[in-house]
Amino acid sequence: MIDWTIALPDQVVVTGTASGLGEETARLLLDAGVRVYGVDVADPAADLTKADAFAAVRGSVTEAGTWRDVVDALQAHAPAGVTSLGFVGAAAVLDVGILDDEDPAVWRRAWEINVLGNVIALQALLPLLTAAEHGAVVAVSSVNAQFGEQQLAAYSSSKAALTGAIRTIALDYARRGVQINILAPGPMRAGLFERHLASAADPEKFLATRQARQPIGRIPGADEVARAAAFLLSPAASAVFGTTLTADGGLTAGFDFRTGDEGSSA
């Protein structure tokens, strides 16, 4: 096979780097030579912490003070101005439940982190993104933004809200020179899905059922979805704007994927 390389921003801010897609995205970018600013309330993995090009910013994505720290770190590293900058908003929370059992605090937390966390981040970063020679935003939503999933009403509604917000923000800033897009993963063998799996009555059966639904026959890894995020950060994605890139292993390509085990002729 022939290798094809893409350019990436010199510096990228990634949220949720303590686990899952955020962690894998940070790792991929570091391997490519990008300086990464990892934002999370928890400590990142040891290999990230040891990387010279990784700067951990400890704090909640919902706090303005966290984003002041991020901006200070970016400007300290590039006092003459940031030439290329990316943002990947991967931080998210997922709680499993139904309305009978859920406190409204569960919904507030989902919306504050999954939606407002990205909005507050962009309020802080857009001045730098618009001033940079290349700026790119990848807001991580979910296929749940468009499809309901049992026991995930708070999570799904927050991702639908995030998708609507980012599309509109993209239009508002369309002439400012910043690529703004949405990445919609399906289930990944990473943090949120693993917690959902752990909550199942029969995790082994649940996993087998979910994998059988996938046209590719497996749950994609977070590292695979991270590569889609990297593409959206690149100038190579310049024709992709204000839209959603779905990275779900074909889950939403149809409504009824059949393997033949159901007695069908497929």
Side-chain angles (χ1 to χ4, degrees):
M1 294 179 69
I2 297 172
D3 287 335
W4 177 57
T5 58
I6 59 173
L8 290 168
D10 296 330
Q11 303 187 76
V12 178
V13 178
V14 183
T15 67
T17 48
S19 65
L21 179 59
E23 179 179 341
E24 291 301 330
T25 300
R27 193 168 282 124
L28 181 153
L29 294 172
L30 287 169
D31 288 345
V34 175
R35 181 168 180 80
V36 176
Y37 300 82
V39 183
D40 208 306
V41 293
D43 292 329
D47 64 313
L48 296 183
T49 304
K50 293 176 183 176
D52 291 338
F54 183 83
V57 180
R58 185 76 174 267
S60 171
V61 293
T62 65
E63 297 294 332
T66 301
W67 294 104
R68 284 194 293 271
D69 291 342
V70 171
V71 170
D72 288 346
L74 285 165
Q75 292 176 330
H77 184 71
V82 177
T83 57
S84 59
L85 177 63
F87 169 70
V88 180
V93 293
L94 178 152
D95 288 289
V96 178
I98 61 174
L99 283 178
D100 286 346
D101 309 318
E102 286 179 334
D103 187 281
V106 169
W107 288 68
R108 290 193 184 97
R109 179 170 176 261
W111 280 59
E112 286 177 0
I113 294 173
N114 300 355
V115 185
L116 284 177
N118 286 281
V119 171
I120 296 168
L122 290 178
Q123 284 181 318
L125 294 176
L126 273 169
L128 296 178
L129 287 161
T130 55
E133 294 175 11
H134 173 73
V137 171
V138 182
V140 180
S141 183
S142 168
V143 295
N144 288 59
Q146 302 296 330
F147 298 91
E149 183 172 357
Q150 290 163 275
Q151 299 182 308
L152 295 181
Y155 175 78
S156 298
S157 67
S158 72
K159 291 301 188 177
L162 174 63
T163 296
I166 295 300
R167 283 177 178 163
T168 304
I169 292 168
L171 294 176
D172 290 339
Y173 286 83
R175 300 298 175 91
R176 305 282 189 95
V178 182
Q179 291 176 199
I180 302 177
N181 286 294
I182 302 153
L183 176 63
M188 296 175 283
R189 291 308 306 264
L192 295 181
F193 179 78
E194 294 297 339
R195 288 193 284 278
H196 192 192
L197 178 62
S199 74
D202 185 338
E204 186 175 342
K205 184 177 181 181
F206 179 75
L207 178 59
T209 301
R210 293 301 297 267
Q211 289 187 141
R213 283 185 200 163
Q214 296 284 147
I216 65 172
R218 59 182 176 79
I219 305 294
D223 59 327
E224 295 175 274
V225 181
R227 290 194 284 274
F231 170 69
L232 290 177
L233 287 171
S234 170
S238 58
V240 184
F241 185 83
T243 193
T244 300
L245 173 62
T246 302
D248 66 355
L251 178 65
T252 58
F255 68 91
D256 184 25
F257 180 75
R258 299 185 295 277
T259 64
D261 293 338
E262 311 86 352
S264 70
S265 60

mmCIF file of all heavy atoms in Angstrom, residues 8 15 34 53 86 92 98 100 130 151 156 168 174 210 249 257:
data_model
loop_
_atom_site.group_PDB
_atom_site.id
_atom_site.type_symbol
_atom_site.label_atom_id
_atom_site.label_comp_id
_atom_site.label_asym_id
_atom_site.label_seq_id
_atom_site.Cartn_x
_atom_site.Cartn_y
_atom_site.Cartn_z
ATOM 1 N N LEU A 8 -1.004 18.385 9.970
ATOM 2 C CA LEU A 8 -1.801 18.547 11.184
ATOM 3 C C LEU A 8 -1.407 19.858 11.864
ATOM 4 O O LEU A 8 -0.291 20.357 11.665
ATOM 5 C CB LEU A 8 -1.566 17.377 12.151
ATOM 6 C CG LEU A 8 -2.134 16.023 11.734
ATOM 7 C CD1 LEU A 8 -1.588 14.915 12.618
ATOM 8 C CD2 LEU A 8 -3.655 16.041 11.776
ATOM 9 N N THR A 15 -9.845 17.441 24.842
ATOM 10 C CA THR A 15 -10.474 17.221 26.143
ATOM 11 C C THR A 15 -10.780 15.737 26.331
ATOM 12 O O THR A 15 -10.911 14.978 25.371
ATOM 13 C CB THR A 15 -11.779 18.033 26.286
ATOM 14 O OG1 THR A 15 -12.766 17.533 25.359
ATOM 15 C CG2 THR A 15 -11.536 19.511 26.035
ATOM 16 N N VAL A 34 2.711 16.392 17.037
ATOM 17 C CA VAL A 34 1.903 17.538 17.448
ATOM 18 C C VAL A 34 2.095 17.802 18.942
ATOM 19 O O VAL A 34 2.247 16.867 19.733
ATOM 20 C CB VAL A 34 0.406 17.263 17.163
ATOM 21 C CG1 VAL A 34 -0.477 18.389 17.679
ATOM 22 C CG2 VAL A 34 0.189 17.032 15.665
ATOM 23 N N ALA A 53 5.949 16.557 24.542
ATOM 24 C CA ALA A 53 5.034 17.437 23.807
ATOM 25 C C ALA A 53 3.613 17.412 24.374
ATOM 26 O O ALA A 53 2.693 17.945 23.753
ATOM 27 C CB ALA A 53 5.006 17.040 22.339
ATOM 28 N N GLY A 86 -5.656 23.310 16.700
ATOM 29 C CA GLY A 86 -6.833 22.461 16.597
ATOM 30 C C GLY A 86 -7.468 22.247 17.955
ATOM 31 O O GLY A 86 -6.833 22.414 19.001
ATOM 32 N N ALA A 92 -16.814 13.706 27.734
ATOM 33 C CA ALA A 92 -18.252 13.427 27.794
ATOM 34 C C ALA A 92 -18.549 12.531 28.985
ATOM 35 O O ALA A 92 -17.671 11.837 29.496
ATOM 36 C CB ALA A 92 -18.725 12.760 26.502
ATOM 37 N N ILE A 98 -33.489 5.269 33.271
ATOM 38 C CA ILE A 98 -34.728 5.750 32.703
ATOM 39 C C ILE A 98 -35.324 6.783 33.647
ATOM 40 O O ILE A 98 -34.906 6.909 34.801
ATOM 41 C CB ILE A 98 -35.725 4.605 32.436
ATOM 42 C CG1 ILE A 98 -36.088 3.882 33.747
ATOM 43 C CG2 ILE A 98 -35.161 3.627 31.421
ATOM 44 C CD1 ILE A 98 -37.170 2.831 33.574
ATOM 45 N N ASP A 100 -37.896 7.035 35.427
ATOM 46 C CA ASP A 100 -38.399 6.602 36.729
ATOM 47 C C ASP A 100 -37.333 6.693 37.814
ATOM 48 O O ASP A 100 -37.636 6.927 38.984
ATOM 49 C CB ASP A 100 -38.879 5.142 36.669
ATOM 50 C CG ASP A 100 -40.197 5.006 35.926
ATOM 51 O OD1 ASP A 100 -40.867 6.034 35.704
ATOM 52 O OD2 ASP A 100 -40.548 3.864 35.561
ATOM 53 N N THR A 130 -9.183 31.742 15.096
ATOM 54 C CA THR A 130 -9.409 32.639 13.960
ATOM 55 C C THR A 130 -8.138 33.410 13.584
ATOM 56 O O THR A 130 -7.963 33.785 12.420
ATOM 57 C CB THR A 130 -10.543 33.635 14.255
ATOM 58 O OG1 THR A 130 -10.253 34.353 15.459
ATOM 59 C CG2 THR A 130 -11.876 32.915 14.418
ATOM 60 N N GLN A 151 -32.372 3.693 27.559
ATOM 61 C CA GLN A 151 -31.665 3.983 28.812
ATOM 62 C C GLN A 151 -30.600 5.081 28.686
ATOM 63 O O GLN A 151 -29.845 5.294 29.618
ATOM 64 C CB GLN A 151 -31.020 2.709 29.391
ATOM 65 C CG GLN A 151 -32.026 1.616 29.733
ATOM 66 C CD GLN A 151 -31.351 0.417 30.342
ATOM 67 O OE1 GLN A 151 -30.381 -0.124 29.794
ATOM 68 N NE2 GLN A 151 -31.853 -0.024 31.475
ATOM 69 N N SER A 156 -28.183 10.999 24.974
ATOM 70 C CA SER A 156 -28.578 11.214 23.583
ATOM 71 C C SER A 156 -29.065 12.643 23.351
ATOM 72 O O SER A 156 -28.738 13.267 22.331
ATOM 73 C CB SER A 156 -29.675 10.217 23.193
ATOM 74 O OG SER A 156 -29.199 8.888 23.279
ATOM 75 N N THR A 168 -24.577 25.416 13.950
ATOM 76 C CA THR A 168 -24.900 26.845 13.912
ATOM 77 C C THR A 168 -23.661 27.699 14.153
ATOM 78 O O THR A 168 -23.460 28.718 13.473
ATOM 79 C CB THR A 168 -25.986 27.165 14.955
ATOM 80 O OG1 THR A 168 -27.118 26.334 14.720
ATOM 81 C CG2 THR A 168 -26.406 28.619 14.878
ATOM 82 N N ALA A 174 -18.291 30.958 9.578
ATOM 83 C CA ALA A 174 -17.917 30.372 8.289
ATOM 84 C C ALA A 174 -16.896 31.202 7.519
ATOM 85 O O ALA A 174 -16.092 30.650 6.765
ATOM 86 C CB ALA A 174 -19.167 30.170 7.431
ATOM 87 N N ARG A 210 -24.346 -6.612 20.461
ATOM 88 C CA ARG A 210 -23.956 -5.341 19.851
ATOM 89 C C ARG A 210 -22.984 -5.552 18.695
ATOM 90 O O ARG A 210 -23.050 -4.864 17.679
ATOM 91 C CB ARG A 210 -23.332 -4.429 20.912
ATOM 92 C CG ARG A 210 -24.304 -3.954 21.981
ATOM 93 C CD ARG A 210 -25.469 -3.169 21.391
ATOM 94 N NE ARG A 210 -25.051 -1.954 20.749
ATOM 95 C CZ ARG A 210 -25.003 -0.759 21.355
ATOM 96 N NH1 ARG A 210 -25.369 -0.643 22.618
ATOM 97 N NH2 ARG A 210 -24.606 0.300 20.712
ATOM 98 N N GLY A 249 -18.529 2.202 12.170
ATOM 99 C CA GLY A 249 -18.404 0.836 11.672
ATOM 100 C C GLY A 249 -19.605 0.378 10.869
ATOM 101 O O GLY A 249 -19.865 -0.825 10.770
ATOM 102 N N PHE A 257 -29.369 -4.784 9.801
ATOM 103 C CA PHE A 257 -28.278 -5.575 9.226
ATOM 104 C C PHE A 257 -28.487 -7.043 9.596
ATOM 105 O O PHE A 257 -28.697 -7.405 10.747
ATOM 106 C CB PHE A 257 -26.925 -5.101 9.748
ATOM 107 C CG PHE A 257 -25.780 -5.893 9.176
ATOM 108 C CD1 PHE A 257 -25.372 -5.685 7.877
ATOM 109 C CD2 PHE A 257 -25.145 -6.862 9.931
ATOM 110 C CE1 PHE A 257 -24.330 -6.421 7.329
ATOM 111 C CE2 PHE A 257 -24.115 -7.612 9.394
ATOM 112 C CZ PHE A 257 -23.700 -7.387 8.089
#
